[in-house]
Amino acid sequence: MSRAAWLVGALVALATGGIGYVAGHGENPVPALAERARTEFARWSPAPMPAAQATAPAKATGPVVYYQDPDGKPVYSLSPMATADGREFRAVHASEDVRFDAPDNGEAMPADMAGLGMAGHDMAAGDMGKAGDAKPAAGARRIRYYRNPMGLADTSATPKKDSMGMDYIPVYEGEDSDGNVVTVSPGKVQRTGVRTEVVERRVVAQPVRVPGTVALDERRVTVIATRSDAYVDHVENVTTGDRVRKGQALVHVYSPEINAAAAQLIANPGFDGARRRLRNLNVSEAVIDEMERTRNVPMAITWSSARDGIVLQRTAIEGMKAAAGDTLFRIGDISTMWVLADVPERDLSNVRVGQAATIRLRSAPGRTFSGKVGTIYPQVNPETRVTRVRIELPNPDGTLLPDMYADVEIATGDAKPVVAVPDDAVIDTGARQVVLIDRGEGRFEPKAVKVGVRGGGYTEIRDGVSTGDRVVTSANFLIDAESNLKAALQGLAPPKDDRQAADAGATP
């Protein structure tokens, strides 16, 4: 049974007893009943709530800054979301946000904290004394001005709020005495997601990826042709695409001019002029020696392959007449191939002879070929503005074939480690490059740097930072905005000495 029900029953019992008492004694029972009821009510009723607890909580003001897990867990979100069981995250307004930078003694208490019932606490029992008699401590810092919380170039001499209901941020004396160092409260560092990384020495590679084409090594191509008019007497069973060996017979031709020189050689043994004439007609030494040994002029002269390779072209047909210089066979050696890559003019300065190159063929997915830059051609194509770069590759299994397409990646850059920072750490405006160095305790210093090559997500820093420094890699634009605002406010500050006052035309 609840206390309220029991109390009602007790009052009914008292009333019944009072009526009986009146009937027996004829006295007025009201005073005694009232006193008894008040005593019982005070005994069983709950204690009154203190005034500070009875005060209703202040209404949340300002915009929603983030959303928090409904159970109070340290899980936050910048946009509305729900838990796994479908409960919505709680919206946290600007006035409800946790203050990591608590005000010092003597600093005006923000309105949002005053509305949370702080004024109802017994301040007389502590060191703070009465609210009206509170005085700043001896070492308290003085507030110079209040600045816009969004980083705008707007300041105020008194506390105020912006159009979104956010309090202006106080700037204390001495906070801007460290040159360009920017101080950010720990709470703001946490909310903005500032991340840092230590500067290290690493190899910064900037690969140049360009298209290429597989081509024959021009030094390994041979043409079979006669140096006089001739007739094709017989062609061996060799055709385009066949592999041939050095010295293998290809075609037999009849040439009246060659036969005349051979007859002269047989008629005049040891005559060097006839032998030299046959050499000039491109007759091989083996055929000449056979003529001298047998002292017989053959009807047709045999032409053989000058190298190992594949038949790239066959134009010899039995019975045809071939003029001097006509190509009968074209033999190519594919044991070593070229890859001709087209490098754009803007990337040409980074390419050097001897740099490693990786080639991938569309006909062989998943397989890579390694080579080195052998030659950079000395001209730029006026139509495409590219320069050809030649890479030599061994081709022992014949996978590389002429005119194949290839994807070429040239590893440019210095192979030695250099001082480098992540690309996200560099704030590049086009006219300047800046990184933010973390000095600890929420202090950040912008530093102008000279950048070098970029590649692999890192940027070389040639001047401005050194190994061991910690640079900001995330939310650095917000801190840079703080730095720019601070510099602008310093530019608007009064002259600090007599010389500056004289230059400004003011009275010191």
Side-chain angles (χ1 to χ4, degrees):
M1 178 183 297
S2 65
R3 289 184 177 181
W6 188 94
L7 183 59
V8 172
L11 291 177
V12 172
L14 288 173
T16 305
I19 294 172
Y21 182 84
V22 170
H25 296 83
E27 297 180 358
N28 186 5
V30 174
L33 289 175
E35 181 65 23
R36 182 68 180 271
R38 184 166 57 84
T39 303
E40 293 295 333
F41 183 80
R43 178 183 176 184
W44 294 102
S45 62
M49 182 179 295
Q53 298 181 10
T55 304
K59 183 180 179 181
T61 61
V64 176
V65 293
Y66 57 86
Y67 296 84
Q68 185 180 9
D69 187 272
D71 296 330
K73 298 179 181 178
V75 180
Y76 306 92
S77 173
L78 294 178
S79 58
M81 66 177 296
T83 61
D85 54 1
R87 292 180 295 155
E88 299 290 336
F89 271 41
R90 184 179 68 87
V92 179
H93 296 263
S95 63
E96 300 175 305
D97 192 17
V98 178
R99 291 175 62 92
F100 293 92
D101 45 350
D104 295 331
N105 291 335
E107 180 183 346
M109 182 178 296
D112 57 349
M113 293 185 66
L116 295 177
M118 296 295 293
H121 286 208
D122 187 6
M123 302 175 64
D127 297 333
M128 298 179 64
K130 294 184 179 180
D133 298 335
K135 296 181 180 179
R141 297 180 297 171
R142 187 173 68 88
I143 298 177
R144 298 183 65 243
Y145 55 86
Y146 296 82
R147 63 178 179 84
N148 190 285
M150 302 302 294
L152 302 178
D154 181 21
T155 61
S156 173
T158 59
K160 61 181 293 189
K161 294 181 180 290
D162 65 357
S163 59
M164 300 175 61
M166 300 177 66
D167 292 321
Y168 272 46
I169 301 174
V171 178
Y172 299 92
E173 285 186 342
E175 280 191 348
D176 54 355
S177 60
D178 294 338
N180 294 329
V181 175
V182 179
T183 302
V184 182
S185 64
K188 191 170 185 180
V189 170
Q190 183 185 35
R191 290 193 300 268
T192 54
V194 176
R195 292 194 298 269
T196 60
E197 185 171 325
V198 178
V199 179
E200 299 177 350
R201 298 182 67 88
R202 63 181 70 246
V203 176
V204 179
Q206 184 182 16
V208 175
R209 297 180 177 88
V210 293
T213 306
V214 180
L216 289 167
D217 187 342
E218 297 173 353
R219 300 163 298 187
R220 298 174 179 269
V221 178
T222 302
V223 172
I224 306 299
T226 62
R227 298 180 181 178
S228 61
D229 294 342
Y231 297 89
V232 177
D233 183 64
H234 176 68
V235 180
E236 297 291 341
N237 187 22
V238 177
T239 186
T240 303
D242 291 346
R243 294 183 178 271
V244 295
R245 301 182 306 276
K246 182 178 180 180
Q248 180 178 343
L250 299 177
V251 62
H252 306 272
V253 299
Y254 164 73
S255 172
E257 188 172 355
I258 294 177
N259 284 8
Q264 186 178 9
L265 175 65
I266 294 173
N268 300 287
F271 180 53
D272 187 63
R275 190 180 186 90
R276 184 179 298 275
R277 184 181 177 188
L278 289 173
R279 290 176 181 169
N280 293 340
L281 292 174
N282 202 25
V283 179
S284 64
E285 290 289 340
V287 174
I288 296 175
D289 293 341
E290 181 67 16
M291 290 180 185
E292 288 185 330
R293 186 179 63 80
T294 60
R295 301 188 61 82
N296 181 28
V297 178
M299 179 61 64
I301 304 297
T302 302
W303 298 87
S304 304
S305 175
R307 65 172 63 251
D308 296 340
I310 62 173
V311 178
L312 303 176
Q313 181 183 7
R314 168 187 162 170
T315 58
I317 301 175
E318 292 186 2
M320 66 172 287
K321 179 182 179 180
D326 285 352
T327 300
L328 301 179
F329 282 89
R330 187 165 171 260
I331 309 298
D333 183 0
I334 63 171
S335 61
T336 300
M337 300 292 287
W338 287 353
V339 175
L340 303 178
D342 296 328
V343 178
E345 188 176 0
R346 66 177 179 275
D347 296 328
L348 191 60
S349 60
N350 298 325
V351 180
R352 299 285 185 273
V353 174
Q355 289 177 336
T358 303
I359 293 88
R360 296 177 177 84
L361 298 178
R362 301 180 184 180
S363 61
R367 183 177 178 183
T368 59
F369 300 83
S370 300
K372 293 184 177 181
V373 175
T375 303
I376 301 175
Y377 283 54
Q379 69 269 0
V380 176
N381 190 318
E383 297 178 356
T384 59
R385 309 308 305 172
V386 299
T387 296
R388 282 200 160 182
V389 173
R390 191 172 71 207
I391 304 166
E392 298 185 11
L393 294 178
N395 187 31
D397 57 354
T399 304
L400 301 173
L401 298 177
D403 299 324
M404 278 184 169
Y405 283 117
D407 296 323
V408 182
E409 180 178 311
I410 302 174
T412 62
D414 196 347
K416 298 180 180 179
V418 295
V419 177
V421 299
D423 290 339
D424 294 337
V426 181
I427 304 174
D428 193 345
T429 64
R432 66 174 188 135
Q433 291 80 34
V434 176
V435 299
L436 296 172
I437 300 179
D438 185 2
R439 297 300 187 188
E441 299 180 354
R443 299 166 63 248
F444 302 93
E445 180 184 0
K447 199 81 170 179
V449 296
K450 293 182 180 179
V451 301
V453 298
R454 300 173 185 260
Y458 288 88
T459 301
E460 177 190 3
I461 303 298
R462 297 178 178 175
D463 186 26
V465 299
S466 57
T467 55
D469 290 340
R470 184 173 289 274
V471 296
V472 180
T473 60
S474 177
N476 46 7
F477 285 96
L478 298 176
I479 302 176
D480 187 54
E482 297 266 357
S483 173
N484 294 337
L485 174 61
K486 179 178 179 180
L489 294 175
Q490 288 179 346
L492 296 176
K496 298 181 180 179
D497 52 33
D498 296 344
R499 180 180 58 81
Q500 293 181 353
D503 293 341
T507 303

